Amino acid sequence: MKRERFWERYPLAELNADEWEAVCDGCGRCCLHKLEYEDTSELDFTRIACKLLDLSTAQCGDYAGRRKHVPDCVQLTPQNINEIDWLPGTCAYRRLNEGRGLPRWHPLLTGKADSVIKANISVIGRVLPETAVDEEDYQEHVIRWIRRS
């Protein structure tokens, strides 16, 4: 059960499971492969999607069992959110954790699940499946339309 305007009234650590999941806008950006450069620790997003990401919906194809198929899939929690520094600047979890509030296009504010698509935040139509690209070619698919700030 979700409490009224819970995202404004409670810190992330006090959200129930339904509220926690509702914070996700469903953009799919966190499901893109990232490249981290050992010499600089810099990180780039690629347009290569996790094998479980449904490219037509930007939703995980096996959310409950994702860690069985993708062992390094990060499960975001209130306990680890401060340690995960690669979340996009548009990420609602990151924004709330930083005290910035939800962006105006967020489905919790608009009441419409497709508002993330209309705001051009979703990865739908912008990414490739990981099965289509050899891992050694990921560098050729670095994107700049996702920012960490």
Side-chain angles (χ1 to χ4, degrees):
M1 186 171 105
K2 293 188 260 299
R3 297 168 287 187
E4 186 175 339
R5 299 193 69 86
F6 62 88
W7 62 91
E8 294 175 338
R9 301 172 60 213
Y10 303 97
L12 291 174
E14 293 180 18
L15 301 185
N16 65 43
D18 287 342
E19 292 166 344
W20 179 264
E21 291 300 323
V23 169
C24 178
D25 58 35
C27 71
R29 290 178 174 206
C30 61
C31 299
L32 300 181
H33 285 276
K34 293 156 267 311
L35 299 176
E36 184 173 6
Y37 304 98
E38 291 178 16
D39 54 335
T40 64
S41 296
E42 300 247 345
L43 184 120
D44 282 329
F45 280 84
T46 72
R47 65 183 185 135
I48 312 301
C50 168
K51 65 184 175 184
L52 294 179
L53 190 69
D54 181 327
L55 303 185
S56 67
T57 65
Q59 300 297 303
C60 183
D62 186 9
Y63 185 72
R66 67 192 185 277
R67 308 263 335 251
K68 283 188 299 192
H69 306 288
V70 183
D72 62 345
C73 179
V74 174
Q75 181 174 352
L76 189 62
T77 67
Q79 292 73 36
N80 69 8
I81 192 166
N82 289 318
E83 302 163 18
I84 301 174
D85 64 351
W86 51 260
L87 292 171
T90 55
C91 175
Y93 294 104
R94 179 177 175 179
R95 291 176 60 95
L96 291 177
N97 192 53
E98 294 173 348
R100 294 190 289 145
L102 296 178
R104 67 181 177 272
W105 47 260
H106 195 283
L108 286 171
L109 297 176
T110 66
K112 299 175 182 174
D114 69 344
S115 59
V116 68
I117 299 166
K118 290 181 178 176
N120 205 28
I121 301 299
S122 175
V123 301
I124 293 173
R126 303 171 85 180
V127 299
L128 300 171
E130 69 180 41
T131 55
V133 181
D134 290 329
E135 193 170 345
E136 60 267 12
D137 295 331
Y138 281 15
Q139 180 67 41
E140 297 173 25
H141 297 277
V142 167
I143 54 175
R144 300 287 178 223
W145 47 266
I146 296 179
R147 303 216 187 280
R148 288 172 41 199
S149 55

PDB file of all heavy atoms in Angstrom, residues 60-76:
ATOM      1  N   CYS A  60      12.505  -4.900 -17.069  1.00  0.00           N
ATOM      2  CA  CYS A  60      13.265  -6.139 -16.956  1.00  0.00           C
ATOM      3  C   CYS A  60      12.365  -7.315 -17.302  1.00  0.00           C
ATOM      4  O   CYS A  60      11.224  -7.394 -16.832  1.00  0.00           O
ATOM      5  CB  CYS A  60      13.815  -6.299 -15.542  1.00  0.00           C
ATOM      6  SG  CYS A  60      14.853  -7.756 -15.335  1.00  0.00           S
ATOM      7  N   GLY A  61      12.887  -8.230 -18.099  1.00  0.00           N
ATOM      8  CA  GLY A  61      12.114  -9.394 -18.507  1.00  0.00           C
ATOM      9  C   GLY A  61      11.967 -10.439 -17.420  1.00  0.00           C
ATOM     10  O   GLY A  61      11.097 -11.309 -17.513  1.00  0.00           O
ATOM     11  N   ASP A  62      12.801 -10.365 -16.374  1.00  0.00           N
ATOM     12  CA  ASP A  62      12.699 -11.294 -15.242  1.00  0.00           C
ATOM     13  C   ASP A  62      13.173 -10.578 -13.991  1.00  0.00           C
ATOM     14  O   ASP A  62      14.182 -10.934 -13.389  1.00  0.00           O
ATOM     15  CB  ASP A  62      13.531 -12.553 -15.501  1.00  0.00           C
ATOM     16  CG  ASP A  62      13.340 -13.621 -14.431  1.00  0.00           C
ATOM     17  OD1 ASP A  62      12.437 -13.475 -13.564  1.00  0.00           O
ATOM     18  OD2 ASP A  62      14.102 -14.605 -14.446  1.00  0.00           O
ATOM     19  N   TYR A  63      12.434  -9.563 -13.598  1.00  0.00           N
ATOM     20  CA  TYR A  63      12.850  -8.712 -12.491  1.00  0.00           C
ATOM     21  C   TYR A  63      13.096  -9.515 -11.212  1.00  0.00           C
ATOM     22  O   TYR A  63      14.131  -9.366 -10.570  1.00  0.00           O
ATOM     23  CB  TYR A  63      11.803  -7.615 -12.250  1.00  0.00           C
ATOM     24  CG  TYR A  63      12.199  -6.615 -11.201  1.00  0.00           C
ATOM     25  CD1 TYR A  63      13.205  -5.685 -11.462  1.00  0.00           C
ATOM     26  CD2 TYR A  63      11.586  -6.590  -9.962  1.00  0.00           C
ATOM     27  CE1 TYR A  63      13.579  -4.763 -10.506  1.00  0.00           C
ATOM     28  CE2 TYR A  63      11.954  -5.669  -8.999  1.00  0.00           C
ATOM     29  CZ  TYR A  63      12.958  -4.753  -9.276  1.00  0.00           C
ATOM     30  OH  TYR A  63      13.331  -3.841  -8.321  1.00  0.00           O
ATOM     31  N   ALA A  64      12.178 -10.397 -10.871  1.00  0.00           N
ATOM     32  CA  ALA A  64      12.317 -11.169  -9.634  1.00  0.00           C
ATOM     33  C   ALA A  64      13.523 -12.106  -9.684  1.00  0.00           C
ATOM     34  O   ALA A  64      14.202 -12.300  -8.671  1.00  0.00           O
ATOM     35  CB  ALA A  64      11.044 -11.955  -9.354  1.00  0.00           C
ATOM     36  N   GLY A  65      13.814 -12.670 -10.852  1.00  0.00           N
ATOM     37  CA  GLY A  65      14.908 -13.626 -10.964  1.00  0.00           C
ATOM     38  C   GLY A  65      16.144 -13.089 -11.660  1.00  0.00           C
ATOM     39  O   GLY A  65      17.011 -13.857 -12.072  1.00  0.00           O
ATOM     40  N   ARG A  66      16.254 -11.791 -11.778  1.00  0.00           N
ATOM     41  CA  ARG A  66      17.324 -11.195 -12.580  1.00  0.00           C
ATOM     42  C   ARG A  66      18.722 -11.564 -12.100  1.00  0.00           C
ATOM     43  O   ARG A  66      19.634 -11.733 -12.902  1.00  0.00           O
ATOM     44  CB  ARG A  66      17.156  -9.680 -12.654  1.00  0.00           C
ATOM     45  CG  ARG A  66      17.356  -8.947 -11.342  1.00  0.00           C
ATOM     46  CD  ARG A  66      16.870  -7.497 -11.457  1.00  0.00           C
ATOM     47  NE  ARG A  66      17.146  -6.713 -10.281  1.00  0.00           N
ATOM     48  CZ  ARG A  66      16.390  -6.703  -9.195  1.00  0.00           C
ATOM     49  NH1 ARG A  66      15.311  -7.469  -9.124  1.00  0.00           N
ATOM     50  NH2 ARG A  66      16.707  -5.939  -8.161  1.00  0.00           N
ATOM     51  N   ARG A  67      18.909 -11.719 -10.807  1.00  0.00           N
ATOM     52  CA  ARG A  67      20.251 -12.002 -10.283  1.00  0.00           C
ATOM     53  C   ARG A  67      20.712 -13.417 -10.632  1.00  0.00           C
ATOM     54  O   ARG A  67      21.898 -13.697 -10.637  1.00  0.00           O
ATOM     55  CB  ARG A  67      20.297 -11.777  -8.776  1.00  0.00           C
ATOM     56  CG  ARG A  67      19.779 -10.404  -8.349  1.00  0.00           C
ATOM     57  CD  ARG A  67      20.732  -9.287  -8.085  1.00  0.00           C
ATOM     58  NE  ARG A  67      22.058  -9.544  -7.714  1.00  0.00           N
ATOM     59  CZ  ARG A  67      22.573  -9.341  -6.508  1.00  0.00           C
ATOM     60  NH1 ARG A  67      21.834  -8.918  -5.526  1.00  0.00           N
ATOM     61  NH2 ARG A  67      23.843  -9.556  -6.290  1.00  0.00           N
ATOM     62  N   LYS A  68      19.767 -14.304 -10.948  1.00  0.00           N
ATOM     63  CA  LYS A  68      20.138 -15.646 -11.413  1.00  0.00           C
ATOM     64  C   LYS A  68      20.768 -15.573 -12.797  1.00  0.00           C
ATOM     65  O   LYS A  68      21.681 -16.320 -13.115  1.00  0.00           O
ATOM     66  CB  LYS A  68      18.903 -16.564 -11.500  1.00  0.00           C
ATOM     67  CG  LYS A  68      18.414 -17.092 -10.178  1.00  0.00           C
ATOM     68  CD  LYS A  68      17.327 -18.132 -10.394  1.00  0.00           C
ATOM     69  CE  LYS A  68      16.151 -17.506 -11.106  1.00  0.00           C
ATOM     70  NZ  LYS A  68      14.943 -18.306 -11.134  1.00  0.00           N
ATOM     71  N   HIS A  69      20.244 -14.693 -13.631  1.00  0.00           N
ATOM     72  CA  HIS A  69      20.698 -14.568 -15.015  1.00  0.00           C
ATOM     73  C   HIS A  69      21.832 -13.556 -15.183  1.00  0.00           C
ATOM     74  O   HIS A  69      22.652 -13.683 -16.086  1.00  0.00           O
ATOM     75  CB  HIS A  69      19.532 -14.160 -15.914  1.00  0.00           C
ATOM     76  CG  HIS A  69      18.344 -15.058 -15.799  1.00  0.00           C
ATOM     77  ND1 HIS A  69      18.311 -16.332 -16.304  1.00  0.00           N
ATOM     78  CD2 HIS A  69      17.142 -14.861 -15.198  1.00  0.00           C
ATOM     79  CE1 HIS A  69      17.141 -16.885 -16.033  1.00  0.00           C
ATOM     80  NE2 HIS A  69      16.414 -16.011 -15.364  1.00  0.00           N
ATOM     81  N   VAL A  70      21.814 -12.538 -14.346  1.00  0.00           N
ATOM     82  CA  VAL A  70      22.824 -11.472 -14.409  1.00  0.00           C
ATOM     83  C   VAL A  70      23.368 -11.280 -12.984  1.00  0.00           C
ATOM     84  O   VAL A  70      22.895 -10.419 -12.242  1.00  0.00           O
ATOM     85  CB  VAL A  70      22.224 -10.155 -14.954  1.00  0.00           C
ATOM     86  CG1 VAL A  70      23.295  -9.077 -15.089  1.00  0.00           C
ATOM     87  CG2 VAL A  70      21.529 -10.391 -16.287  1.00  0.00           C
ATOM     88  N   PRO A  71      24.338 -12.108 -12.586  1.00  0.00           N
ATOM     89  CA  PRO A  71      24.820 -12.085 -11.205  1.00  0.00           C
ATOM     90  C   PRO A  71      25.339 -10.732 -10.717  1.00  0.00           C
ATOM     91  O   PRO A  71      25.249 -10.431  -9.528  1.00  0.00           O
ATOM     92  CB  PRO A  71      25.952 -13.130 -11.197  1.00  0.00           C
ATOM     93  CG  PRO A  71      25.648 -14.023 -12.352  1.00  0.00           C
ATOM     94  CD  PRO A  71      24.980 -13.151 -13.378  1.00  0.00           C
ATOM     95  N   ASP A  72      25.852  -9.897 -11.628  1.00  0.00           N
ATOM     96  CA  ASP A  72      26.360  -8.592 -11.202  1.00  0.00           C
ATOM     97  C   ASP A  72      25.315  -7.481 -11.290  1.00  0.00           C
ATOM     98  O   ASP A  72      25.643  -6.306 -11.122  1.00  0.00           O
ATOM     99  CB  ASP A  72      27.629  -8.219 -11.963  1.00  0.00           C
ATOM    100  CG  ASP A  72      27.427  -8.096 -13.463  1.00  0.00           C
ATOM    101  OD1 ASP A  72      26.391  -8.567 -13.977  1.00  0.00           O
ATOM    102  OD2 ASP A  72      28.322  -7.529 -14.120  1.00  0.00           O
ATOM    103  N   CYS A  73      24.058  -7.848 -11.508  1.00  0.00           N
ATOM    104  CA  CYS A  73      22.983  -6.852 -11.494  1.00  0.00           C
ATOM    105  C   CYS A  73      22.905  -6.243 -10.093  1.00  0.00           C
ATOM    106  O   CYS A  73      22.859  -6.958  -9.092  1.00  0.00           O
ATOM    107  CB  CYS A  73      21.642  -7.509 -11.855  1.00  0.00           C
ATOM    108  SG  CYS A  73      20.255  -6.354 -11.843  1.00  0.00           S
ATOM    109  N   VAL A  74      22.903  -4.936 -10.028  1.00  0.00           N
ATOM    110  CA  VAL A  74      22.880  -4.243  -8.746  1.00  0.00           C
ATOM    111  C   VAL A  74      21.439  -4.075  -8.283  1.00  0.00           C
ATOM    112  O   VAL A  74      20.598  -3.550  -9.016  1.00  0.00           O
ATOM    113  CB  VAL A  74      23.558  -2.860  -8.861  1.00  0.00           C
ATOM    114  CG1 VAL A  74      23.411  -2.073  -7.573  1.00  0.00           C
ATOM    115  CG2 VAL A  74      25.020  -3.027  -9.230  1.00  0.00           C
ATOM    116  N   GLN A  75      21.167  -4.533  -7.079  1.00  0.00           N
ATOM    117  CA  GLN A  75      19.858  -4.309  -6.482  1.00  0.00           C
ATOM    118  C   GLN A  75      19.965  -3.059  -5.625  1.00  0.00           C
ATOM    119  O   GLN A  75      20.622  -3.057  -4.583  1.00  0.00           O
ATOM    120  CB  GLN A  75      19.421  -5.500  -5.635  1.00  0.00           C
ATOM    121  CG  GLN A  75      18.053  -5.287  -5.030  1.00  0.00           C
ATOM    122  CD  GLN A  75      17.545  -6.523  -4.300  1.00  0.00           C
ATOM    123  OE1 GLN A  75      18.151  -7.584  -4.359  1.00  0.00           O
ATOM    124  NE2 GLN A  75      16.435  -6.369  -3.634  1.00  0.00           N
ATOM    125  N   LEU A  76      19.349  -2.004  -6.066  1.00  0.00           N
ATOM    126  CA  LEU A  76      19.383  -0.735  -5.357  1.00  0.00           C
ATOM    127  C   LEU A  76      18.534  -0.829  -4.101  1.00  0.00           C
ATOM    128  O   LEU A  76      17.387  -1.289  -4.138  1.00  0.00           O
ATOM    129  CB  LEU A  76      18.857   0.375  -6.272  1.00  0.00           C
ATOM    130  CG  LEU A  76      19.002   1.801  -5.797  1.00  0.00           C
ATOM    131  CD1 LEU A  76      20.471   2.167  -5.620  1.00  0.00           C
ATOM    132  CD2 LEU A  76      18.355   2.735  -6.799  1.00  0.00           C
TER     133      LEU A  76
END
